[in-house]
Amino acid sequence: MNQLGLDLRKMTVILKEKYYNGSESVRTFKCETGSGCSPDSNGNEIIGTFADGEKGRIESYEIEKTKE
């Protein structure tokens, strides 16, 4: 479940500064899969790619907004 109420698969998001340091361009994350991508699931896990190309996992509550 994500607070944005959107299907986040394949979307690029900006992560909250509270959890990740740096400018918005550094805090970008490309969502790929996970229960947190869906607005109506019970999970928070989102798997994807950070701005530096590293694959990783975030929690849906760590998202500030979509980049688009």
Side-chain angles (χ1 to χ4, degrees):
M1 173 174 67
N2 64 68
Q3 290 77 9
L4 300 177
L6 302 170
D7 183 350
L8 297 175
R9 282 177 282 250
K10 310 247 188 247
M11 290 187 85
T12 300
V13 297
I14 306 297
L15 302 172
K16 291 180 181 176
E17 200 166 15
K18 174 181 179 180
Y19 302 106
Y20 299 91
N21 296 324
S23 65
E24 282 194 1
S25 63
V26 173
R27 293 184 283 124
T28 60
F29 185 81
K30 172 86 177 200
C31 302
E32 294 170 11
T33 189
S35 58
C37 286
S38 176
D40 56 356
S41 73
N42 289 330
N44 289 313
E45 175 188 50
I46 299 176
I47 307 295
T49 308
F50 291 96
D52 64 1
E54 181 181 348
K55 297 270 187 193
R57 173 183 188 247
I58 64 165
E59 300 293 321
S60 60
Y61 58 79
E62 297 173 334
I63 297 173
E64 181 177 327
K65 61 185 178 181
T66 61
K67 186 174 179 186
E68 290 82 32

